[in-house]
């Protein structure tokens, strides 16, 4: 279920209207099938991503930079599976509100692989591309991921299985705590 501000289909109920009460997230354009069995969810700027009990990631909403991981930049008002990944245990979204709803999606699989897709400004996907339309492998031996953002870009923190913490993306004002103030297109 979702409710609140509805632009770009971020509520996943097949329209863009604001909702004052909970509505079901749909999985098709006709609104006859619903997202069920969700174990975790993350939200970004006008985008949402969730993991179901079967280990699939689902995304919906604004897709200007490929944030839905479906190989396109077409905004979707209903949930659909993120392409090319399964066995997902956790998802995260970071957003850059300066670039009008530019969000970056991340997923950690049960075998410790970290995948990312969407907006890649400031090195949020570990390279210097602008966007990635489908998930790409970013790191291995990962336990957890978290992402955040603001007008200065997406910052990603990765907890590796050896209990070390790595940062990627926007490092303005020393967000990584590594005595630097530079963006990183590599794990630091």
């Amino acid at each position: 279920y979702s409710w609140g501000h509805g632009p770009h289909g971020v509520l996943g109920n097949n329209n863009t209207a604001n909702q004052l009460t909970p509505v079901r997230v749909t999985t098709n354009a006709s609104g006859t099938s619903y997202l069920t069995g969700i174990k975790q969810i993350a939200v970004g700027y006008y985008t949402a991503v969730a993991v179901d009990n079967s280990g699939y990631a689902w995304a919906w909403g604004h897709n200007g930079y490929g944030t839905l991981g479906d190989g396109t930049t077409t905004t979707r008002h209903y949930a659909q599976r993120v392409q090319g990944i399964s066995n997902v245990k956790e998802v995260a979204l970071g957003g850059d509100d300066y670039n009008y709803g530019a969000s970056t999606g991340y997923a950690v699989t049960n075998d410790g692989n970290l995948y990312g897709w969407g907006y890649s400004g400031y090195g949020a996907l570990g390279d210097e591309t602008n966007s990635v339309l489908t998930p790409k492998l970013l790191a291995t031996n990962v336990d957890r991921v978290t992402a955040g953002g603001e007008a200065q870009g997406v910052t990603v923190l990765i907890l590796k299985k050896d209990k070390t913490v790595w940062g990627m993306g926007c490092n303005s004002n020393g967000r990584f705590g590594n005595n630097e103030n530079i963006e990183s297109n590599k794990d630091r």
Side-chain angles (χ1 to χ4, degrees):
Y1 288 86
S2 62
W3 57 93
H5 194 52
H8 305 287
V10 69
L11 300 180
N13 65 331
N14 249 346
N15 70 58
T16 59
N18 296 341
Q19 299 294 321
L20 301 179
T21 58
V23 293
R24 293 184 79 176
V25 176
T26 62
T27 59
N28 60 20
S30 64
T32 57
S33 180
Y34 301 100
L35 194 59
T36 61
I38 299 303
K39 64 180 182 178
Q40 194 243 335
I41 191 165
V43 294
Y45 289 101
Y46 306 122
T47 307
V49 63
V51 181
D52 68 19
N53 290 327
S54 297
Y56 291 106
W58 297 78
W60 60 94
H62 188 263
N63 196 24
Y65 290 86
T67 309
L68 303 184
D70 66 352
T72 75
T73 55
T74 303
T75 293
R76 309 279 183 204
H77 299 171
Y78 56 90
Q80 59 183 20
R81 280 190 191 168
V82 175
Q83 290 183 5
I85 56 174
S86 60
N87 201 25
V88 175
K89 76 172 186 175
E90 177 180 60
V91 291
L93 274 174
D96 178 353
D97 64 353
Y98 180 75
N99 286 298
Y100 184 67
S103 291
T104 310
Y106 301 92
V108 177
T109 60
N110 287 316
D111 56 359
N113 290 327
L114 173 64
Y115 292 89
W117 63 93
Y119 179 67
S120 189
Y122 303 95
L125 291 173
D127 59 23
E128 296 179 10
T129 61
N130 186 49
S131 63
V132 175
L133 302 182
T134 57
K136 73 174 203 167
L137 182 64
L138 301 177
T140 59
N141 298 313
V142 173
D143 188 36
R144 307 283 312 265
V145 65
T146 189
E150 57 174 280
Q152 296 176 338
V154 176
T155 301
V156 184
L157 295 176
I158 303 162
L159 176 63
K160 301 279 263 186
K161 289 187 176 185
D162 65 3
K163 302 304 178 196
T164 58
V165 177
W166 295 75
M168 186 168 54
C170 184
N171 188 30
S172 64
N173 302 312
R175 294 179 189 182
F176 298 158
N178 62 350
N179 201 32
E180 294 179 354
N181 192 25
I182 59 172
E183 312 319 325
S184 176
N185 60 11
K186 302 177 199 157
D187 292 345
R188 291 183 145 330

